[in-house]
């Protein structure tokens, strides 16, 4: 039974085009790579393409699912991100690939987890405790890196727990709506959100704190529709922020360059100015993968990755990437009315809004429209925790679609 | 090599845009079909509220899916929700409560087709399926309710869905029996005051009901066997 009006994209054709894109990237990277990294690049891209086919085979043939637009976008964006990483840091290819594979497993796991709403209701308290516990642990044991205490090092691996907590934050926030629109009290959620945002603030991870706060507003509004409470919370948060700036003025120094990057061309505005210059140099179709100059700037594949995309792939593709984040939010909103439960509607809208907000912070940050907060561009930026989080967020977005799950033994 | 690289820039861009635009267009264009799962019919004015969501809120607030202006209805009074095993009505902490068939519910109650739900003093009738489904169901029920004659020899069924049916050798009879000993107009089964009767038209071979010859209109009851010569029919209600 097809519940959608109209036809979905043809999976075979789209998958072929995605593969063609990946193979073209692989070819370009192979040409430019140093001899010692050539095999690394082939193995990484090859495994990624195989996993992509395995996923679609399982979902289409075995599970008989319909509608793969969300996954196709995710796979394409990941391929773009992976290509940039392979181009700049071919030595980190395997590490990034492992993170992508874990992320895809996370996507499948979240899909399974959300299938049964009773299971979520049962797990929401343990998830909330784990989320706050993980942030508290990071706050205590993490070392200050790049001005923020948000990295934990285990062996040779570095993990950013706040990325993983994003998924938990959305699930817990939506799951506190326990009795079908009857429990409008936001108290429990406010306490939980305060715990998370407070920890992030103390970790000086202001970008992520802002993302959490924005997600909190989205969830609160969708849950209660109570504008007055939300206005009160926003005012409280604004006042809190002002107090922090008054009593801890060094926090404001982090954003001193904001609005003055051209005055600090070679100092605090170095990253932003170079990003803007090289982005413009890319033109509409870019200078080609591996030919950019922004790659030499610190954090090119993380915070400044949007600039790298603009420079090497061109403005058109950069615009298309941003459009896909917008489309995910539109998709979530359009499906939310027909979701199996308000829980799925809230979860999907919050996840897609978070992704769009994060992308906006990144893009506007590097272009000096907003302060540079150091958040990643979903799916594109290099970073294991970030890519895992993005794939899991995709799992949350996908849950809003009624055709994702069998209902009463029937896939709709 | 430089030429290939130059072309690759455009190829990559075109491929990525082809995928993104196709998927984005599909995500924006496609929306779930508004399939009607059930109907709520306001008993006061017969106004119909189709239920095409998994959760339909009922209340006085304009944010609800089904809005009442009745002051006995709370702002967010109840939710009618589709779950794995059917529809449920949830009382979302309303002031005046939710009643299903005059029985006040505690938190939730499973709904059956035809249940009367009271939200305060607003009475609604609940129907499973869409309006069209309901009409078909209604028709089917009517059909199932109408009595029939079953030919015992070959299980052929004759629905008694009109006011009368005729039995005889004559072409055009509702039940045509092509045996010589059967009269052209053998008998008639007719309805009067919602009861079915059989009358013999003075045929040579008498019509019998449960083995007894009939001389006047005889009321039929469920399980009666009507016999005309070798032909036997079971009357079922």
């Amino acid at each position: 039974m097809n519940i959608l009006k109209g036809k979905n994209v043809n999976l075979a054709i789209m998958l072929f085009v995605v593969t063609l894109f990946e193979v073209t990237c692989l070819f370009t990277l192979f040409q430019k790579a140093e001899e010692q990294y050539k095999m690394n690049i082939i193995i990484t891209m090859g495994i990624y393409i195989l996993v992509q086919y395995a996923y679609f085979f399982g979902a289409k043939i075995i599970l008989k699912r319909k509608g793969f637009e969300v996954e196709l976008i995710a796979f394409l964006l990941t391929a773009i991100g992976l290509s940039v990483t392979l181009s700049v840091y071919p030595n980190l290819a395997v590490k990034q690939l492992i993170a992508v594979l874990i992320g895809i497993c996370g996507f499948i796991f979240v899909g399974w987890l959300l299938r049964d709403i009773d299971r979520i209701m049962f797990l929401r308290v343990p998830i909330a405790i784990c989320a706050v516990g993980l942030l508290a642990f990071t706050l205590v044991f993490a070392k200050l890196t790049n001005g923020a205490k948000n990295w934990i090092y285990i062996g040779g691996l570095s993990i950013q727990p706040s990325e993983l907590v994003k998924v938990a934050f959305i699930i817990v926030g939506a799951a506190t709506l326990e009795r079908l629109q009857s429990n409008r009290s936001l108290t429990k959620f406010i306490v939980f959100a305060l715990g998370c945002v407070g920890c992030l603030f103390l970790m000086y991870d202001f970008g992520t704190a802002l993302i959490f706060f924005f997600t909190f507003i989205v969830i609160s509004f969708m849950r209660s529709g109570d504008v007055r409470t939300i206005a009160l919370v926003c005012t409280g948060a604004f006042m809190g922020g002002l107090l922090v700036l008054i009593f801890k003025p060094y926090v404001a120094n982090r954003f001193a360059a904001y609005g003055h990057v051209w005055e600090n061309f070679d100092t605090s505005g170095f990253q932003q100015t170079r990003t803007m210059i090289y982005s413009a140099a890319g033109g509409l179709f870019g200078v080609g993968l591996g030919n950019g100059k922004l790659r030499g700037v610190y954090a090119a594949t993380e915070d400044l990755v949007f600039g790298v995309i603009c420079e090497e792939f061109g403005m058109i593709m950069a615009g298309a990437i941003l459009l896909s984040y917008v489309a995910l939010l539109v998709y979530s909103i359009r499906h939310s009315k027909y979701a199996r439960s308000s829980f799925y509607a809230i979860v999907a809208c919050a996840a897609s809004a978070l992704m769009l907000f994060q992308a906006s912070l990144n893009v506007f940050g590097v272009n000096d429209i907003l302060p540079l907060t150091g958040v990643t561009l979903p799916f594109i930026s290099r970073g294991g925790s970030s890519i895992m989080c993005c794939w899991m967020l995709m799992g949350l977005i996908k849950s809003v679609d009624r055709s994702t799950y069998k209902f009463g033994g029937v896939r709709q | 090599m430089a030429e290939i690289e130059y072309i690759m820039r455009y190829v990559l861009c075109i491929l990525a845009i082809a995928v993104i635009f196709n998927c984005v267009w599909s995500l924006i264009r496609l929306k779930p079909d508004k399939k009607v799962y059930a109907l709520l019919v306001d008993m006061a004015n017969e106004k119909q509220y189709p239920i095409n969501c998994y959760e339909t809120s009922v209340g006085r607030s304009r944010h609800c899916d089904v809005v009442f202006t009745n002051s006995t209805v709370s702002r967010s009074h109840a939710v009618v929700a589709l779950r794995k095993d059917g529809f449920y009505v949830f009382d979302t902490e309303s002031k005046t409560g939710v009643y299903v068939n005059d029985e006040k519910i505690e938190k939730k109650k499973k709904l059956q087709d035809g249940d009367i739900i009271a939200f305060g003093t607003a009475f609604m009738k609940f129907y499973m399926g869409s309006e069209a489904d309901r009409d078909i169901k209604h028709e089917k029920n009517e059909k199932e309710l109408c009595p029939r004659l079953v030919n015992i020899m070959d299980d052929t069924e004759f629905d008694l869905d009109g006011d009368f049916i005729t039995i005889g050798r004559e072409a055009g009879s509702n039940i045509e029996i092509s045996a010589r000993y059967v009269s052209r107009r053998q008998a008639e089964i007719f309805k009067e005051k919602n009861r079915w009767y059989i009358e013999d038209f003075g045929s040579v071979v008498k019509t019998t009901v449960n083995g007894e010859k009939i001389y006047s209109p005889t009321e039929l009851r469920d399980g009666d066997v009507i016999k005309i010569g070798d032909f036997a029919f079971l009357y079922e209600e």
Side-chain angles (χ1 to χ4, degrees), chain A residues 145-335:
Chain A
T145 315
N146 300 330
K149 286 174 76 178
N150 53 1
W151 292 96
I152 292 178
Y153 296 91
I154 304 167
L157 290 171
S158 52
I159 301 166
Q160 201 173 349
S162 58
E163 289 289 332
L164 304 175
V165 173
K166 280 178 191 169
V167 181
F169 186 78
I170 293 175
I171 292 177
V172 173
T176 42
L177 178 80
E178 45 200 337
R179 274 173 289 154
L180 271 167
Q181 305 169 22
S182 59
N183 186 1
R184 286 164 184 276
S185 166
L186 292 169
T187 318
K188 287 179 198 166
F189 185 42
I190 288 174
V191 170
F192 172 65
L194 212 62
C196 290
V197 177
C199 282
L200 288 165
F201 224 84
L202 293 172
M203 286 153 63
Y204 309 125
D205 192 354
F206 304 116
T208 313
L210 201 59
I211 292 170
F212 271 65
F213 183 69
F214 174 78
T215 313
F216 167 77
I217 298 292
V218 173
I219 296 174
S220 304
F221 181 72
M222 287 198 70
R223 274 193 42 183
S224 66
D226 188 356
V227 181
R228 277 178 296 184
T229 310
I230 291 162
L232 197 71
V233 171
C234 285
T235 313
F238 181 72
M239 299 302 279
L242 275 182
L243 283 176
V244 169
L245 290 175
I246 291 165
F247 291 106
K248 295 193 171 184
Y250 59 87
V251 171
N253 295 340
R254 290 274 305 272
F255 308 113
Y258 169 55
H260 308 282
V261 290
W262 295 104
E263 293 156 29
N264 304 290
F265 190 78
D266 280 325
T267 50
S268 52
F270 186 85
Q271 286 177 306
Q272 292 96 318
T273 49
R274 297 316 182 274
T275 304
M276 284 187 266
I277 291 167
Y278 294 132
S279 297
L284 290 178
F285 294 95
V287 295
L289 183 58
N291 296 333
K293 288 181 179 169
L294 186 62
R295 55 181 43 232
V297 177
Y298 177 72
T301 53
E302 295 96 27
D303 305 1
L304 315 181
V305 77
F306 185 71
V308 175
I309 298 289
C310 288
E311 188 190 13
E312 299 193 4
F313 290 94
M315 288 281 184
I316 295 177
M317 204 199 283
I321 290 169
L322 295 184
L323 184 69
S324 57
Y325 300 127
V326 177
L328 288 173
L329 181 61
V330 174
Y331 165 81
S332 304
I333 293 169
R334 280 171 80 91
H335 277 73

Side-chain angles (χ1 to χ4, degrees), chain B residues 155-207:
Chain B
D155 286 335
T156 317
E157 291 181 3
F158 304 93
D159 288 326
L160 306 180
D161 49 1
D163 285 335
F164 66 92
I165 66 160
T166 54
I167 304 171
R169 190 153 49 85
E170 193 174 66
S173 301
N174 296 107
I175 300 175
E176 196 180 321
I177 304 172
S178 52
R180 291 186 64 80
Y181 56 82
V182 175
S183 300
R184 285 177 187 280
R185 294 180 72 230
Q186 173 75 25
E188 186 180 70
I189 297 174
F190 61 95
K191 189 161 81 172
E192 200 174 289
K193 291 178 182 171
N194 277 333
R195 291 168 189 271
W196 285 89
Y197 296 87
I198 184 165
E199 185 178 5
D200 189 280
F201 286 133
S203 54
V204 180
V205 177
K206 280 285 177 199
T207 306

Side-chain angles (χ1 to χ4, degrees), chain B residues 60 68-75 77 94-97 118-123:
Chain B
R60 202 154 40 82
F68 286 107
T69 48
N70 191 325
S71 58
T72 60
V73 178
S74 300
R75 283 179 184 279
H77 198 105
S94 64
K95 280 179 188 167
T96 50
F119 306 105
T121 56
F123 288 85

Side-chain angles (χ1 to χ4, degrees), chain A residues 15-241:
Chain A
L15 193 55
F16 175 73
V17 180
V18 172
T19 313
L20 215 57
F21 176 86
E22 289 158 350
V23 171
T24 315
C25 282
L26 174 63
F27 180 76
T28 315
L29 291 166
F30 188 80
Q31 291 292 321
K32 292 184 177 298
E34 290 172 32
E35 204 58 45
Q36 55 179 331
Y37 295 123
K38 283 192 174 177
M39 193 50 78
N40 223 6
I41 289 170
I42 291 178
I43 290 171
T44 307
M45 219 47 170
I47 291 174
Y48 178 69
I49 294 171
L50 283 178
V51 168
Q52 175 183 291
Y53 272 87
Y55 170 80
F56 284 115
F57 177 81
K60 178 79 179 171
I61 309 294
I62 299 170
L63 297 173
K64 301 192 188 305
R65 281 191 182 170
K66 289 172 184 169
F68 292 101
E69 289 85 354
V70 173
E71 290 96 321
L72 280 166
I73 288 176
F75 272 108
L76 182 78
L77 296 184
T78 307
I80 295 170
L82 205 56
S83 300
V84 173
T85 304
L86 286 172
S87 167
V88 182
Y89 301 109
N91 54 323
L92 298 176
V94 178
K95 206 172 161 186
Q96 185 68 11
L97 176 72
I98 290 169
V100 169
L101 299 184
I102 294 171
I104 295 170
C105 292
F107 169 75
I108 297 166
F109 173 73
V110 167
W112 169 83
L113 188 72
L114 262 60
R115 192 194 303 169
D116 188 356
I117 204 161
D118 294 333
R119 180 164 48 210
I120 289 291
M121 293 300 165
F122 176 72
L123 290 173
R124 62 190 168 168
V125 177
I127 291 174
I129 293 168
C130 286
V132 178
L134 199 58
L135 287 178
F137 180 83
T138 314
L139 179 65
V140 175
F141 293 102
K143 289 174 186 169
L144 201 68
T145 315
N146 300 330
K149 286 174 76 178
N150 53 1
W151 292 96
I152 292 178
Y153 296 91
I154 304 167
L157 290 171
S158 52
I159 301 166
Q160 201 173 349
S162 58
E163 289 289 332
L164 304 175
V165 173
K166 280 178 191 169
V167 181
F169 186 78
I170 293 175
I171 292 177
V172 173
T176 42
L177 178 80
E178 45 200 337
R179 274 173 289 154
L180 271 167
Q181 305 169 22
S182 59
N183 186 1
R184 286 164 184 276
S185 166
L186 292 169
T187 318
K188 287 179 198 166
F189 185 42
I190 288 174
V191 170
F192 172 65
L194 212 62
C196 290
V197 177
C199 282
L200 288 165
F201 224 84
L202 293 172
M203 286 153 63
Y204 309 125
D205 192 354
F206 304 116
T208 313
L210 201 59
I211 292 170
F212 271 65
F213 183 69
F214 174 78
T215 313
F216 167 77
I217 298 292
V218 173
I219 296 174
S220 304
F221 181 72
M222 287 198 70
R223 274 193 42 183
S224 66
D226 188 356
V227 181
R228 277 178 296 184
T229 310
I230 291 162
L232 197 71
V233 171
C234 285
T235 313
F238 181 72
M239 299 302 279

